[in-house]
């Protein structure tokens, strides 16, 4: 009986540790379209990181969908946003906070090209 209680205590401790880690950084797509590419660069640097949409199971971020962002520290970033029709836009000076959601909307998109 003691080993069952010990196992339950270990399981609960592991669950509490996972909860303490938070949900991570997430992008909330409030643009009118599905996003097929999303890359971040430290603000003003043009040093683009990996395509974050590859973190999604269908490799795209639909309108009103959230995407987990990995490998990014809190700070200010520029984003390169690509759409399935090859249109590409930029969002400048996004503030990313630890374990928080940040959003982009159509009004944030700048310098769009096709």
């Amino acid at each position: 009986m003691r080993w069952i209680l010990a196992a339950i205590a270990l399981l609960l401790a592991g669950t509490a540790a996972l909860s303490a880690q938070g949900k991570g950084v997430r992008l909330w797509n409030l643009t009118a379209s599905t996003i097929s590419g999303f890359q971040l660069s430290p603000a003003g640097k043009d040093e683009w990181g990996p395509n974050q949409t590859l973190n999604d199971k269908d490799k795209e971020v639909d309108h009103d969908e959230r995407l987990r962002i990995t490998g990014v520290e809190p700070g200010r970033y520029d984003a390169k946003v690509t759409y399935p029709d090859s249109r590409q836009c930029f969002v400048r000076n996004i503030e990313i906070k630890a374990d928080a959601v940040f959003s982009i909307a159509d009004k944030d998109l700048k310098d769009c090209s096709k």
Side-chain angles (χ1 to χ4, degrees):
M1 182 67 165
R2 284 187 179 167
W3 67 271
I4 292 175
L5 292 175
I8 290 172
L10 284 174
L11 179 63
L12 291 175
T15 303
L18 286 176
S19 296
Q21 290 178 357
K23 293 185 177 183
V25 176
R26 293 159 324 245
L27 160 69
W28 187 7
N29 179 14
L30 296 178
T31 68
S33 302
T34 296
I35 295 173
S36 60
F38 188 82
Q39 295 173 274
L40 292 168
S41 170
K45 298 236 179 182
D46 287 337
E47 298 170 359
W48 302 106
N51 181 0
Q52 296 284 337
T53 63
L54 300 178
N55 299 336
D56 191 70
K57 62 183 174 187
D58 68 357
K59 312 296 185 233
E60 292 183 327
V61 186
D62 297 325
H63 165 75
D64 201 30
E65 182 180 2
R66 292 183 182 164
L67 171 70
R68 186 175 187 101
I69 302 296
T70 60
V72 175
E73 296 295 321
R76 294 218 169 256
Y77 291 86
D78 294 335
K80 186 187 308 184
V81 183
T82 308
Y83 293 94
D85 65 359
S86 299
R87 181 173 63 121
Q88 190 173 71
C89 300
F90 295 90
V91 180
R92 305 284 182 200
N93 207 27
I94 299 168
E95 183 177 6
I96 294 180
K97 297 178 182 178
D99 294 325
V101 176
F102 68 94
S103 63
I104 60 168
D106 289 329
K107 67 179 178 56
D108 303 318
L109 302 173
K110 308 290 182 215
D111 304 321
C112 295
S113 64
K114 187 166 182 178

